[in-house]
Amino acid sequence: MNKRQFLQRALAGVSAFAVAGCDRLNKSPWFADVLSAGESLNRRVHHLLGGRVSMAQEFTEADLSPTFRGNGSTNPSDAPYRAMVADGFVNWSLTVDGLVDKPITLSLAQLRTLPSRTQITRHDCVEGWSAIGKWTGVPLAQVLALAKPKANARYVVFHCADTYGSGGGRTPYYESIDLLDAYHPQTILAYNLNGKPLPTANGAPLRLRVERQLGYKHAKFVMRLELVESFAHLGRGKGGYWEDRGYQWYAGI
Ligand SMILES: Nc1nc2c(c(=O)[nH]1)N[C@H]1C(S)=C(S)[C@@H](COP(=O)(O)O)O[C@H]1N2
Ligand SMILES: [Mo]
């Protein structure tokens, strides 16, 4: 087992434990402490191993997976998203707002004229599968430079076009990362997969790639970036759809 596999399994274990333990345990203060201690420990270990400043491994064309599987929402049924698919995303735009000096709206065509980065990386899902794909997109740092985050901005929240869930109902998918990851050179808003516009299953027309974290952090169907100081006001307050259901906020690989 290499370092990556070890960390991935350790993380999956913590997540499964957190999810299984949720209801009753969450109410006891010591358990909340243990959980947050685990989280900051994970962040610290990752930092010690060089994870927070290093680059994720990049691969070659020969390493590409024959197909890049879709997971989670793969064909959102939400009406506003269906309408955007129907007209080929001509009316789609990305909004950047919240704690910024200059809120902006960018069309896909505008995003495609900004400097881009292409990277061949491996996606690791907590469910236990991986795939290697070639992503092209605009570095998130480029978009942030246009919107000019205010000094008190700490996180970027990704609001997605899909709702997800079953039984009890669906809620909007969302995610968040801190500015350290937001400015990392491999953090891109990807519009191409393997040289072609993103397929619907993989998040058309725009999805996040944040290569040193697990799959659920890679928000698909991104509509809006919100710069915030805290994510307490969103969802159940844990910073993401899966985090609200017990997964770790910092999902370092
Ligand atoms: N908007 C949105 N983003 C999402 C999800 C989702 O259901 N909705 N699933 C997440 C999970 S768990 C994974 S593993 C990856 C899957 O990306 P893929 O469909 O390109 O394989 O997207 C992540 N981003
Ligand atoms: Mo995943």
Side-chain angles (χ1 to χ4, degrees):
M1 191 187 299
N2 64 26
K3 181 181 97 185
R4 179 189 291 264
Q5 287 166 332
F6 170 79
L7 284 174
Q8 202 183 332
R9 273 173 213 185
L11 267 175
V14 169
S15 302
F17 178 62
V19 172
C22 255
D23 272 325
R24 235 165 10 99
L25 286 171
N26 262 355
K27 292 193 182 98
S28 71
W30 66 263
F31 185 70
D33 284 351
V34 169
L35 268 191
S36 52
E39 166 113 12
S40 62
L41 181 65
N42 171 41
R43 216 166 16 222
R44 213 171 311 136
V45 166
H46 201 247
H47 190 79
L48 282 174
L49 293 172
R52 286 287 264 169
V53 286
S54 62
M55 299 286 276
Q57 185 177 359
E58 295 196 15
F59 298 81
T60 69
E61 304 263 344
D63 302 313
L64 288 174
S65 300
T67 57
F68 197 101
R69 105 177 227 184
N71 199 48
S73 292
T74 50
N75 195 14
S77 55
D78 306 84
Y81 183 75
R82 295 318 317 167
M84 290 187 287
V85 171
D87 64 16
F89 297 108
V90 288
N91 294 317
W92 177 95
S93 66
L94 176 73
T95 299
V96 188
D97 62 9
L99 297 175
V100 294
D101 284 337
K102 200 172 172 296
I104 49 171
T105 306
L106 297 164
S107 68
L108 260 186
Q110 285 172 319
L111 280 167
R112 285 177 176 274
T113 63
L114 293 174
S116 71
R117 186 177 204 282
T118 295
Q119 58 204 32
I120 300 178
T121 54
R122 193 176 73 197
H123 178 100
D124 294 310
C125 172
V126 281
E127 288 168 22
W129 59 273
S130 299
I132 294 178
K134 179 166 92 171
W135 305 97
T136 303
V138 52
L140 181 53
Q142 295 281 342
V143 172
L144 294 181
L146 296 175
K148 304 186 191 317
K150 291 184 186 294
N152 56 341
R154 291 186 60 197
Y155 306 101
V156 182
V157 177
F158 301 83
H159 294 281
C160 305
D162 60 316
T163 55
Y164 195 65
S166 58
R170 311 174 69 87
T171 59
Y173 200 96
Y174 75 104
E175 258 305 334
S176 61
I177 60 175
D178 63 19
L179 291 187
L180 192 57
D181 265 320
Y183 286 111
H184 187 278
Q186 289 170 316
T187 300
I188 66 173
L189 294 169
Y191 43 70
N192 280 6
L193 170 59
N194 297 335
K196 298 196 193 84
L198 268 190
T200 299
N202 306 104
L206 193 75
R207 65 99 51 87
L208 173 67
R209 295 300 308 170
V210 51
E211 303 294 356
R212 298 163 314 153
Q213 294 204 52
L214 289 168
Y216 62 86
K217 299 296 292 187
H218 299 231
K220 304 192 286 186
F221 318 108
V222 173
M223 297 296 300
R224 176 181 169 218
L225 311 185
E226 184 189 7
L227 278 286
V228 298
E229 196 170 2
S230 146
F231 35 70
H233 65 289
L234 296 166
R236 300 181 194 163
K238 299 286 194 275
Y241 180 91
W242 286 111
E243 289 85 331
D244 283 341
R245 288 151 184 86
Y247 284 37
Q248 296 226 319
W249 177 78
Y250 191 75
I253 299 174

